[in-house]
Each structure stands twice: as structure tokens, then as C-alpha cells.
Amino acid sequence: MEDEKLSIYKISRTIKKNENTLYNSLRSIYEDSIFVGEISQLWPELPLLANLRCGLWYSPKFDSTCYFKSTDGHQNNWSFNISRLNLHVARLAGQKGGCIIVDSTRKGKRFPDSMSKTIPIWCCVLNRAIRNYLIRLRGNKMGEEELNVCDQNAETVQHTDIDWDHSLHLPLWVPKTEKASIEDRLEQWTNELETSGADIASLAASLKKPLRPLWISQKSVIWLNEVPESDSWDFTPIILLSASSSSGVFQHRTTSEFSWNYISGAGDDEESWARGLSPILFWSHAFDIITSGPNLCNQNVANIIERDRVYRALRGQDAPQIAVKPPKLSGSNGHLSNGESKLYSEIQDVDMKLNFSNGGCGIAWLGSTNLGVGASRLATNLSNDDSILNCDSESVSVSPRNNEAYLHLPIVSSKFDRFSLLRNLHLALTFAKVNLQKGKRLFVCCHSGENISVSVLLAIFTSLFDDEGSFDNGRSFNDTHITKLEMRKRLVYICKYVTNARPSRGNLRQVFNFLGGGRVDSQLHHN
């Protein structure tokens, strides 16, 4: 019986593996992207945002990205996460009159929990904080002129009064008992936001109407002659667009050329299926990949990835070797032909189009602090006068500079080593202090520019800068007992400039343990 069960298990795994092929995934994404494009055209004035990482696959062009985790919306694990405030989303929605956020899910549901609960919670907490701010503002006995000077928000106050909607709006499929449990936690989350140092005043100035989520999926019925204008609503719409069909089973589909299996939420968990292909590379070659069919898909993708790797390697950029090796390129010496060179000029153009606001592709500088953070491949763009702290596992090729201006600390994620970051922070702090004392700009980088480098930057910013963001060699840090609240405030300040910041909980825990060690001087001499 046990052998029989095992064989049935193996058979089911084999069937699933055969259905979840690279072509099936990419073809499913391509089909779902057509739906995303149709909905975005209903409100062309609203910016299109991808919820990382799954949502990034579903359109060739996004205006920005955001990061709302489904785990923050799981039942009995609801959370409003201060390290993922996504305030740039609220500001962008305020400027444009709303926004559209794209995501998907594999689990056979119409919407992922990030859309069913995480984002609605986020909207509600921000609305509550803004309402509290407006009430306090109106409570102050100020003249109209003083009000304009201090807040530049008189028009907003006149429009909103105290009627600013701060209720929790959840979709109908969330049970009332679950909604009640979430509402019990709203005040606590609002207090955490208000004490985190987040700039609520700028949010109140950006938003003329309260935030409110709306949900659209492939099962939504939309009458084209009744689509409302985005500015006709009495709220700022956050349109949550679930890209995939909600069917929980594989759907066999046939065209005049190929047969393939549709996969709901195919863009999720890209490490398990994408074979090194990125959304940028996919959309640069989507037509060729889709029309080549399932039999040639794997080889075509391998060729695309290898050509991209060679292109980047020849320019000294980050170019990891992919395990799946395609045939050699057309040139026997590995150099690009004229056609291939032209092709990669086009890819570089796509890279520029996807250069989101401080997100993913660009170096984010923290105001006037001389601190910057980003992906390690961007280090080649810096001048010789800048210092570089590289936390990537691989070194980077940079222009010649003295030994004090470049430091490579190969730090791995807390998933693989719980203490890798902690062991290296004292060296990072020493390097940062030496270069900041010389007035140099300091660029902290890692492979993604979102996790490890942000965590290192947090340790440096907290240890060597005062509350106003001025470099003071650690004097204020030596006089302060760092609490989780204080560290959270510093992280919120960083996220104001680094909108793609995604430090993991394990890395933040290591930073807090390091900062809890006391004085800067003692940390710099730590072994």
C-alpha cells in the first residue's frame, strides 16, 4: 500500500511538473497581460503599478512598483508593516487622482490576500492618520495666513473638514468576524504609524480625497458605457487588479498552432520556473517566445539569457552564469554581432523605460546625507570621488580608486546565515565613518539594492547621524538608547527616499542587536 501511495504521489508530481512548463507559464502571463492592458485603458490617466514581485510580469510597462505582502493579510496574522509603508503609492495616487495596482495569485482565489486585506488595511490606517492630523490642525487656533504658511493645506482642510472617510473597506467575501478582528487592531496600527516619524502632513497635502480600494478581476462585469471617470468618485481610488483567472485547476487551451495549459498566477515564485528570465527580458522578446511554441521555448529563453549575460559581462556589469547553458553565440570569440549589438541597445532602452522612481533601477540618495543605496551593478556609474561599500556576494568592476574608498563585504541573507550581517556591520561602520569624515559620498550596494544594502545603510544612518539627518560622528547615538521604535523611525526616513526598500525581518533583527551594543567607539573596536 505504501509503494502504491508513493507511486501515485510521484505520478501526480510528474503531471504537475509537465503542466507547469516554462512555455505554459509565459503564455499564461502573456494572455493575462492582455486583460491588464484592457483595464488600464479604461482609466489611462491613472498610473499602473506592479506589486512586487509577481505583478511585475503582467505588463511591458509600469509607472512604478509597490510591495504589499500577502502574509500581512493572512487570517490571524493581519499586520500594518512600518517597514513597508509604500507612502510613494499614496502620494502618487494623490497627484494623479488614483492608481491601478497589478498582482495575481496561484491559489485559485480571485484575489491574493495582499489585495483582499493587506492593501485595504493600509488604506484605512493612512486615512485614520490623515484624519487625526486634520482634526489636530483645525483644533489649533491659527489665522488663515499662518495656516497657509505652516501647512500649505488650507484647501484640503476646507474640502475634508472632519468627514474624511476612515472606515475599513473590505471585499464582500471577507467574513464579518474577520473584519471585526481587524477593526479591533486599527487604533494600535494608527498609533504606530503616527509615532514612526512618517510624514503625515505631506500625505494630507497630497490627498484631496480619502483612499479607498476597488477590486477588478477577470470575472468582473464592466459596462463600457458606464465606466465612471476617476475624478467623479468622492474618494481616491486604489484599483486592485488581479491579473489571472481564478480557476484553481489547469485549463487546457488550444490555438491554431499550439496546445498549452493555462496557469493561474503564473508569475508567482519565479525562481521555480523562470530559469533566470526576468520580466524585462521577457517583454523584450515576448512575441518571439510566444510564437515559437512550447517545443522551442526553453532553448530560445536560454539563448536570450546567455546573450544578455555576455552583453553585461563585456561591459563590466553584473553577469551571473546561468545553469541552463544554450549553444554558443554566433561569434566564435563570444563577441556580439552587429545584429546582436543592436538588439541589446533595444534591451537597454527597455531598461530605461522601466527605470521607476527610485525603484529597482536607480541609485537612491538620502537627501543631503551623502548616503546612497542601490544595486551593485550601478556602482560603475559613480565618480572616482565616491566611496563604495559593496555587500554583494560578487565583487564589482569599478574605476580605480584608493583602498579606503572601496570595500567588499560579501554578506548573505539571513535565510542562509543568521549572523552574516551582524559579523560584518562593525567593518561597514568603520569604512563609512572614514569616508564620511572626508566628505565623500557613500554608496552602499548589494545584488538587488533592496534588502542587505538597506539594512547596512540603516545601521550606518542610525549610528553616525543625528535625528535631523546630519553626520555627527556618532555623538547623538552615544547619548541615545536605541529602541525598536527609534530604529523604526530611522527606517521610515530611509524608505522616504528608497521606495523599493525591502529589508527582511531577520536582517533588521541583526541590525537591532548590533545597535543595542552601545557606543559607536565600542562598536568600531568590536572583534
Side-chain angles (χ1 to χ4, degrees):
M1 180 63 70
E2 185 174 346
D3 292 340
E4 183 180 350
K5 288 182 178 179
L6 184 61
S7 63
I8 292 174
Y9 172 76
K10 286 184 176 180
I11 291 172
S12 64
R13 291 282 293 179
T14 302
I15 293 174
K16 184 176 181 180
K17 183 177 181 180
N18 291 336
E19 291 175 330
N20 195 24
T21 64
L22 180 61
Y23 184 80
N24 287 340
S25 296
L26 295 176
R27 184 61 186 261
S28 301
I29 289 169
Y30 185 81
E31 296 292 324
D32 290 338
S33 72
I34 297 173
F35 169 68
V36 171
E38 291 173 347
I39 297 301
S40 65
Q41 286 304 306
L42 296 180
W43 297 281
E45 71 280 3
L46 299 185
L48 190 67
L49 280 65
N51 192 28
L52 297 173
R53 291 174 303 162
C54 179
L56 198 55
W57 286 92
Y58 288 96
S59 176
K61 184 177 181 181
F62 284 100
D63 297 291
S64 187
T65 63
C66 54
Y67 187 47
F68 295 97
K69 291 191 69 173
S70 285
T71 51
D72 291 335
H74 287 176
Q75 189 167 8
N76 297 322
N77 190 49
W78 313 287
S79 176
F80 178 83
N81 201 306
I82 297 297
S83 64
R84 292 185 288 272
L85 283 181
N86 291 288
L87 296 184
H88 68 289
V89 177
R91 294 192 184 97
L92 184 60
Q95 295 166 6
K96 301 295 185 179
C99 67
I100 303 173
I101 298 178
V102 178
D103 202 353
S104 187
T105 180
R106 283 181 178 269
K107 297 181 180 180
K109 298 182 292 187
R110 289 179 65 185
F111 293 87
D113 283 342
S114 61
M115 290 184 163
S116 294
K117 284 166 281 189
T118 304
I119 296 178
I121 289 172
W122 173 82
C123 290
C124 181
V125 173
L126 261 59
N127 284 336
R128 288 169 62 96
I130 292 173
R131 181 176 183 271
N132 291 345
Y133 169 78
L134 295 175
I135 291 175
R136 290 193 300 270
L137 189 65
R138 290 181 65 84
N140 293 333
K141 303 301 181 181
M142 292 182 176
E144 186 68 21
E145 180 178 351
E146 187 178 0
L147 182 63
N148 284 329
V149 171
C150 294
D151 191 71
Q152 299 178 350
N153 201 31
E155 182 181 352
T156 301
V157 175
Q158 291 170 2
H159 277 279
T160 59
D161 197 20
I162 311 300
D163 295 329
W164 189 270
D165 182 14
H166 63 291
S167 54
L168 177 65
H169 296 278
L170 293 174
L172 295 177
W173 56 85
V174 176
K176 292 183 179 180
T177 54
E178 187 173 1
K179 181 179 181 181
S181 298
I182 294 174
E183 287 175 329
D184 289 340
R185 294 164 171 79
L186 289 175
E187 184 175 358
Q188 173 191 340
W189 293 331
T190 305
N191 290 336
E192 290 176 359
L193 173 61
E194 292 174 334
T195 57
S196 69
D199 190 357
I200 306 299
S202 68
L203 287 181
S206 299
L207 289 165
K208 301 298 185 291
K209 304 173 185 178
L211 300 167
R212 183 166 177 176
L214 300 174
W215 295 268
I216 296 180
S217 73
Q218 291 197 22
K219 289 187 175 181
S220 300
V221 177
I222 301 176
W223 301 100
L224 296 181
N225 61 335
E226 297 181 3
V227 174
E229 298 291 336
S230 59
D231 59 0
S232 67
W233 287 309
D234 58 357
F235 52 83
T236 301
I238 304 295
I239 298 176
L240 306 179
L241 178 55
S242 185
S244 298
S245 170
S246 58
S247 174
V249 295
F250 288 101
Q251 303 172 18
H252 188 74
R253 300 186 180 182
T254 303
T255 65
S256 58
E257 296 176 299
F258 310 114
S259 294
W260 54 286
N261 292 316
Y262 174 80
I263 303 172
S264 179
D268 195 18
D269 192 22
E270 60 192 44
E271 290 87 358
S272 66
W273 62 267
R275 300 187 174 212
L277 187 71
S278 69
I280 290 176
L281 279 178
F282 169 62
W283 285 109
S284 300
H285 304 84
F287 180 79
D288 291 337
I289 292 174
I290 297 303
T291 56
S292 66
N295 293 334
L296 298 178
C297 179
N298 288 7
Q299 191 61 66
N300 286 345
V301 168
N303 291 339
I304 290 167
I305 293 171
E306 179 64 8
R307 287 200 300 270
D308 180 66
R309 187 191 70 80
V310 172
Y311 172 83
R312 294 184 184 279
L314 292 175
R315 285 154 181 77
Q317 299 173 4
D318 181 51
Q321 181 71 49
I322 303 299
V324 181
K325 292 186 179 181
K328 292 183 179 180
L329 296 177
S330 56
S332 59
N333 59 359
H335 289 277
L336 299 175
S337 66
N338 289 336
E340 288 165 340
S341 179
K342 181 180 179 181
L343 169 67
Y344 280 94
S345 295
E346 295 172 357
I347 290 178
Q348 203 167 34
D349 289 341
V350 175
D351 263 317
M352 295 302 294
K353 290 177 183 177
L354 289 176
N355 187 1
F356 306 122
S357 172
N358 274 352
C361 294
I363 296 177
W365 295 100
L366 269 63
S368 59
T369 63
N370 277 345
L371 295 175
V373 67
S376 52
R377 62 184 175 83
L378 300 173
T380 56
N381 299 332
L382 298 172
S383 72
N384 292 337
D385 295 329
D386 296 327
S387 57
I388 300 172
L389 175 54
N390 178 22
C391 304
D392 199 347
S393 57
E394 302 291 335
S395 185
V396 294
S397 300
V398 294
S399 55
R401 61 193 72 215
N402 62 60
N403 293 334
E404 288 187 344
Y406 178 81
L407 177 64
H408 181 209
L409 294 177
I411 302 173
V412 299
S413 170
S414 58
K415 286 184 177 180
F416 305 103
D417 187 337
R418 292 169 54 197
F419 305 105
S420 176
L421 179 60
L422 185 62
R423 286 195 302 268
N424 286 280
L425 278 178
H426 69 283
L427 293 176
L429 195 62
T430 303
F431 176 80
K433 188 172 184 179
V434 168
N435 285 279
L436 291 171
Q437 285 175 337
K438 296 179 180 179
K440 288 180 174 288
R441 295 198 305 177
L442 173 65
F443 176 57
V444 185
C445 58
C446 64
H447 180 71
S448 67
E450 300 171 352
N451 183 3
I452 295 174
S453 55
V454 173
S455 302
V456 173
L457 188 71
L458 175 61
I460 293 171
F461 182 62
T462 304
S463 300
L464 299 177
F465 288 76
D466 62 20
D467 292 336
E468 304 300 323
S470 299
F471 176 69
D472 68 352
N473 262 336
R475 287 190 297 273
S476 59
F477 175 75
N478 291 334
D479 297 332
T480 305
H481 175 67
I482 296 298
T483 62
K484 289 185 177 180
L485 175 60
E486 184 63 31
M487 193 178 84
R488 190 180 297 139
K489 288 181 179 180
R490 297 299 183 113
L491 180 59
V492 168
Y493 180 89
I494 291 174
C495 291
K496 177 181 178 181
Y497 299 95
V498 192
T499 57
N500 63 315
R502 296 193 288 168
S504 68
R505 182 175 300 177
N507 286 338
L508 290 178
R509 186 181 298 114
Q510 292 179 70
V511 172
F512 181 71
N513 291 339
F514 173 80
L515 296 175
R519 296 174 56 84
V520 170
D521 293 340
S522 65
Q523 292 173 353
L524 296 182
H525 293 90
H526 174 69
N527 292 320

